[in-house]
Amino acid sequence: MDSLLIKNLRASVAGQEILRGLSLQVPKGEVHAIMGPNGSGKSTLSKVVCGHPDYEVHSGEIFLDGEPILELEPDQRARLGLFLAFQYPCEIAGVSNANFLRAALQARLPKGEEIDAVAYYKRLYEKMDMLEMDRKFTARSVNDGFSGGEKKRNEILQLAMLDPKYAILDETDSGLDIDALRIVADGVNRLRGPNIGILLITHYQRLLNYIVPDVVHVMVKGRIVRSGGKELALDLEEKGYDWILKECAEEISA
Amino acid sequence: MSDKPDLNLDVDFGNFNVPEHHAFDAGYGITEDTVRYICDVKNDPEWIRDFRLRALKTFQEKPLPTHWATEDLNNIEFEKIRYYLANSQEPKRTWEEVPDDVKRTFERLGIPEKERKFLAGVEAQFDSEAAYSNVKEELAKEGVIFVGSTEGLQKHPEVFRKWFGKVIPTGDNKFSALNSAVFSGGSFIYIPPGVKVKHPLQAYFRINAENFGQFERTLIIADEGAEVMYMEGCTAPRFGTVTLHSAVVELVACKGAKIQYITVQNWSPNVFNLVTKRALALEEAEVKWIDCNIGSRLTMKYPGVVLKGRKARGEVISIALANNGQHQDTGAKMVHAADETTSNIISKSISIGNGRASYRGLVHIPRHLKGCKNNTECDALLISPESRTDTYPAIVVRGQGNSVQHEASVSKVSAEQIFYMQQRGLSEAQAMSLSVNGFVNDLVSQFPLEYSIELKRLIDLEMEGSVG
């Protein structure tokens, strides 16, 4: 089965262990959500999977459709089909959105092959229309002077354009008002399908009303401690995280 | 990144040479005999002989400016440099006549191709002398002169002598004196009144020989209401020993004239590039220097404009890229000498690895003038933790009713930004290159298209080489 498979992953940043033997499988075609209290290591997980140089992996394995990726550079992982929608997207002054996306797509082509500019813009405009983005947006510098909502929408546009096999959405709902959340969620829902596995990282259940997950995982102190259906998210919303912390106290401290 | 590689630049671009066989060689070191040898070979008129010999004295007397400039200048061994190497003093008018090895060199650098595509005239200098020089016939008919400095002083003495050495006096600095003593090659351009040259004129300065100094001398005069755009490119092979490039460039923009001077240099890292460039702008004239400094071991260059006539306008736009082991010490000078003159300086520098970029600016507006304006912006981008940038602005503004603006900024390419771009599939080098191109984008968009593409590709190559 094609999947993004994480096995027994241990990783630290600045000498502190954050992921403590985490295992998770996101099969292609499914949407999984990871929820967890602040500090449980959710964002660290997304960075480690994508190869951020600040994080050190001590043990464990990550496979993308069976291929081990831990030894690969971040860009190699990206070109294999891994995408991260950042919680805090970076600004790149002087580089237009259109040129940035074009460069990213160009990087996926074999040497000597050129992107068809006409087809590229046609597709770009389609995706922008889907996300209700103004055409002027193509000429603006990447995330430069964007509002929080515009940045998040831009992440989803990039996701739509780069067409990854697996996408991790890190707190995509944070900083979005209800209209922007609806547009972003509609965009993600339209991208859902048999050819993509999606991992939503979120602190709140709110996003999951709009993007309904197939599986919900609860992450506490660097591990997945519970997995279940979408109703698990509703339980957490209703009861908070405390009951789960109590229930797994032994597991967590191990 | 999306640019098509139609300019035939590759990683080794410029790093090649052909075997030496010079008919004329002034030997190593510089003495009166060296200067006399050059005079004899070039058949210089008496006044140029005197000019050169006086300049040699000035050069010998002047100390290196290490009280403000880098001590690295002490590493130039003047006695180990050859000051004149040539095969002929007569440039050819067609590429067919140019010797094969020299022609192949310029073909590899893409010069004949560019000439066919978009240039109005070309001069291609190989070591000390131009191997090729040609200007489109229709321009020649309008009275446009585009020749080498030797031909200029011999055949057009009335215009040449009037301005030669007047914008930059011999004793301006040690290296302008050195150039004045041994100059050879460079361009002499005269645009008659009212003639607007539509396509650019291009000079290409190629160093082929080892232990060599290239001392071209350029004088461009745009007569009243004339307009011209001049572009220069430079490369040299990479040698283990020092190569010296020390040019003097003088521009004269008469009343209402416009001169744009564009440099895209890509020196190998053993070149000391110590160049003096200055323009004189008369009433309502406009001079714009666009200066892109990539490569070299040390570049010291501060293009200037003396704003001598009312409402004259001067502009310097410069981009410097200091890679590992390189020092780009660049900037601009704006000397306001008439009312209502305006000047604009925009400088952007990028330091990579342990590269160092320094900005030196001089803006001078004396007390008695009215309605003068200067705007200076200098921005530095640091790529690595050990990269270095310094800014030395000297702004002297006296009197009422003159205005000056100065803005400076230093920014860094953050690891987060690089990770973000890598996550989208760009390699580390591509990501850095994109950041750097973004940083200079607002300036590059003002360049003629061919040069903005060339500059982008040069930046890509520098970044590729800088990432391990």
Side-chain angles (χ1 to χ4, degrees):
Chain A
M1 178 178 52
D2 279 349
S3 69
L4 177 64
L5 176 61
I6 302 166
K7 275 180 156 172
N8 216 1
L9 190 66
R10 288 183 172 271
S12 63
V13 63
Q16 199 186 348
E17 191 172 61
I18 308 286
L19 301 183
R20 298 158 66 239
L22 182 139
S23 296
L24 177 70
Q25 185 168 28
V26 182
K28 196 172 278 177
E30 294 186 10
V31 175
H32 287 214
I34 290 189
M35 301 183 70
N38 285 329
S40 56
K42 302 190 297 291
S43 284
T44 295
L45 175 65
S46 68
K47 298 267 173 71
V48 170
V49 171
C50 292
H52 193 292
D54 286 354
Y55 297 83
E56 199 185 335
V57 174
H58 303 291
S59 62
E61 290 168 295
I62 305 177
F63 299 93
L64 198 152
D65 290 346
E67 185 172 345
I69 61 168
L70 269 178
E71 296 301 315
L72 300 180
E73 294 295 318
D75 53 304
Q76 294 173 312
R77 300 182 195 198
R79 292 196 298 271
L80 275 184
L82 186 62
F83 183 91
L84 171 61
F86 283 63
Q87 184 177 5
Y88 304 108
C90 280
E91 301 177 359
I92 313 168
V95 178
S96 72
N97 283 300
N99 280 344
F100 180 58
L101 266 171
R102 192 173 160 153
L105 285 166
Q106 181 72 50
R108 287 161 166 77
L109 294 181
K111 237 187 160 96
E113 225 174 277
E114 283 285 331
I115 278 183
D116 176 348
V118 176
Y120 164 71
Y121 274 100
K122 188 167 173 273
R123 192 158 158 254
L124 178 62
Y125 289 149
E126 273 171 27
K127 307 290 182 193
M128 282 167 60
D129 289 346
M130 172 182 91
L131 291 161
E132 298 178 30
M133 294 168 102
D134 194 290
R135 292 284 155 95
K136 280 188 207 124
F137 166 87
T138 51
R140 289 173 67 188
S141 293
V142 179
N143 297 326
D144 196 6
F146 283 28
S147 70
E150 283 177 315
K151 284 184 183 173
K152 293 298 171 73
R153 219 181 287 191
N154 195 18
E155 293 296 284
I156 303 306
L157 176 69
Q158 293 179 17
L159 165 61
M161 287 298 287
L162 297 177
D163 208 9
K165 292 181 182 142
Y166 298 93
I168 303 172
L169 278 61
D170 190 2
E171 307 265 359
T172 295
D173 49 331
S174 70
L176 290 186
D177 62 32
I178 203 74
D179 290 330
L181 180 64
R182 182 187 49 77
I183 293 166
V184 164
D186 279 355
V188 175
N189 283 329
R190 260 185 252 194
L191 296 172
R192 273 179 98 149
N195 297 320
I196 185 169
I198 296 175
L199 183 61
L200 303 168
I201 292 177
T202 181
H203 185 72
Y204 299 106
Q205 197 268 337
R206 185 177 74 151
L207 177 70
L208 306 185
N209 292 334
Y210 294 86
I211 309 172
V212 180
D214 299 304
V215 179
V216 173
H217 305 275
V218 181
M219 184 168 175
V220 177
K221 292 202 175 164
R223 279 181 218 158
I224 303 296
V225 294
R226 282 285 181 285
S227 298
K230 58 178 184 254
E231 59 289 345
L232 180 54
L234 296 170
D235 277 358
L236 287 170
E237 178 77 358
E238 198 183 319
K239 300 190 215 160
Y241 287 107
D242 283 349
W243 65 276
I244 247 179
L245 292 177
K246 267 181 214 145
E247 255 182 50
C248 344
E250 207 169 301
E251 217 178 311
I252 294 163
S253 57
Chain B
M1 234 132 288
S2 54
D3 302 315
K4 290 173 185 63
D6 55 358
L7 280 136
N8 192 29
L9 291 167
D10 57 48
V11 179
D12 269 337
F13 182 78
N15 187 21
F16 65 94
N17 73 328
V18 296
E20 271 187 52
H21 47 84
H22 292 106
F24 304 94
D25 181 348
Y28 289 85
I30 178 167
T31 64
E32 286 198 5
D33 286 342
T34 321
V35 173
R36 286 202 186 92
Y37 176 87
I38 295 171
C39 292
D40 291 344
V41 166
K42 295 175 87 72
N43 200 17
D44 279 339
E46 210 51 44
W47 73 275
I48 286 288
R49 283 177 179 264
D50 293 347
F51 178 89
R52 288 184 187 274
L53 287 165
R54 270 184 279 120
L56 176 65
K57 267 215 164 107
T58 309
F59 166 69
Q60 286 163 340
E61 284 162 14
K62 266 194 178 298
L64 287 166
T66 43
H67 57 290
W68 60 268
T70 168
E71 297 279 340
D72 196 24
L73 289 171
N74 290 321
N75 294 317
I76 305 173
E77 294 174 282
F78 291 102
E79 70 284 0
K80 288 192 180 160
I81 287 169
R82 292 182 288 175
Y83 291 80
Y84 184 85
L85 295 171
N87 267 322
S88 135
Q89 283 73 38
E90 289 281 316
K92 304 295 186 255
R93 299 294 185 212
T94 66
W95 284 107
E96 284 70 41
E97 296 168 82
V98 175
D100 273 349
D101 51 350
V102 177
K103 188 169 73 181
R104 273 201 307 273
T105 296
F106 286 113
E107 274 169 357
R108 195 163 159 183
L109 298 167
I111 309 304
E113 190 193 346
K114 280 187 194 168
E115 180 180 18
R116 284 193 299 273
K117 273 191 186 161
F118 67 95
L119 298 170
V122 168
E123 188 194 2
Q125 180 165 338
F126 192 81
D127 291 338
S128 294
E129 296 284 3
Y132 173 85
S133 169
N134 193 29
V135 63
K136 295 261 156 78
E137 206 175 308
E138 57 268 30
L139 285 182
K141 276 188 193 146
E142 289 188 90
V144 171
I145 301 169
F146 179 24
V147 294
S149 62
T150 308
E151 194 175 333
L153 71 91
Q154 283 170 351
K155 296 199 179 146
H156 310 279
E158 63 299 333
V159 203
F160 189 93
R161 212 170 159 169
K162 183 175 172 192
W163 294 110
F164 177 75
K166 299 296 187 333
V167 186
I168 301 172
T170 296
D172 186 81
N173 63 74
K174 189 173 176 75
F175 294 94
S176 62
L178 174 61
N179 175 284
S180 300
V182 296
F183 74 88
S184 180
S187 308
F188 170 70
I189 294 173
Y190 173 75
I191 314 292
V195 173
K196 295 175 170 52
V197 183
K198 284 190 200 75
H199 297 284
L201 301 175
Q202 154 114 37
Y204 200 93
F205 300 100
R206 173 66 179 171
I207 293 177
N208 183 66
E210 195 169 359
N211 304 111
F212 174 65
Q214 191 173 52
F215 306 96
E216 84 265 14
R217 180 98 190 190
T218 290
L219 174 59
I220 300 176
I221 298 145
D223 213 325
E224 288 192 9
E227 290 179 18
V228 65
M229 183 192 281
Y230 177 86
M231 303 180 164
E232 61 170 0
C234 338
T235 54
R238 180 187 294 240
F239 293 119
T241 52
V242 164
T243 298
L244 179 58
H245 176 254
S246 195
V248 166
V249 176
E250 298 176 288
L251 311 183
V252 180
C254 297
K255 185 178 175 183
K258 286 183 186 168
I259 302 180
Q260 229 185 105
Y261 191 108
I262 302 173
T263 305
V264 179
Q265 65 171 41
N266 178 24
W267 290 117
S268 51
N270 58 309
V271 175
F272 278 88
N273 181 43
L274 309 164
V275 171
T276 312
K277 287 182 167 167
R278 199 168 303 152
L280 191 65
L282 303 180
E283 200 176 331
E284 291 177 10
E286 282 181 39
V287 174
K288 184 172 187 172
W289 296 99
I290 295 180
D291 204 38
C292 306
N293 298 301
I294 294 176
S296 82
R297 169 170 169 173
L298 170 67
T299 286
M300 290 176 67
K301 194 201 298 174
Y302 322 96
V305 184
V306 180
L307 301 149
K308 192 122 193 270
R310 210 179 125 263
K311 289 193 169 170
R313 195 181 144 71
E315 192 164 9
V316 173
I317 290 180
S318 79
I319 294 173
L321 198 152
N323 214 327
N324 265 318
Q326 299 176 354
H327 185 180
Q328 302 285 1
D329 195 320
T330 59
K333 290 181 184 179
M334 291 294 176
V335 179
H336 291 251
D339 288 341
E340 296 173 70
T341 46
T342 54
S343 61
N344 187 31
I345 301 170
I346 303 177
S347 156
K348 296 210 177 199
S349 71
I350 301 122
S351 312
I352 307 164
N354 64 6
R356 178 178 173 194
S358 309
Y359 169 81
R360 280 176 218 276
L362 181 144
V363 176
H364 185 82
I365 305 179
R367 189 185 304 278
H368 64 275
L369 296 183
K370 288 189 294 289
C372 298
K373 280 185 199 152
N374 165 261
N375 174 57
T376 301
E377 288 168 42
C378 46
D379 300 323
L381 182 70
L382 302 175
I383 301 280
S384 335
E386 62 271 32
S387 308
R388 178 170 170 190
T389 182
D390 325 85
T391 304
Y392 308 93
I395 301 179
V396 180
V397 182
R398 298 208 168 82
Q400 305 289 315
N402 297 315
S403 83
V404 184
Q405 252 188 86
H406 181 92
E407 280 175 43
S409 77
V410 177
S411 44
K412 280 181 190 166
V413 174
S414 70
E416 287 306 315
Q417 203 179 45
I418 297 299
F419 177 68
Y420 183 70
M421 288 189 262
Q422 279 192 280
Q423 211 301 305
R424 296 305 181 246
L426 301 169
S427 69
E428 191 181 358
Q430 286 171 331
M432 285 196 182
S433 195
L434 207 56
S435 294
V436 171
N437 274 310
F439 174 70
V440 298
N441 184 45
D442 53 337
L443 296 189
V444 175
S445 59
Q446 300 183 34
F447 294 12
L449 182 66
E450 289 78 6
Y451 280 74
S452 62
I453 293 172
E454 181 157 345
L455 186 72
K456 273 188 180 163
R457 289 197 45 83
L458 284 174
I459 290 173
D460 288 350
L461 293 177
E462 288 291 319
M463 301 321 291
E464 247 169 58
S466 71
V467 176

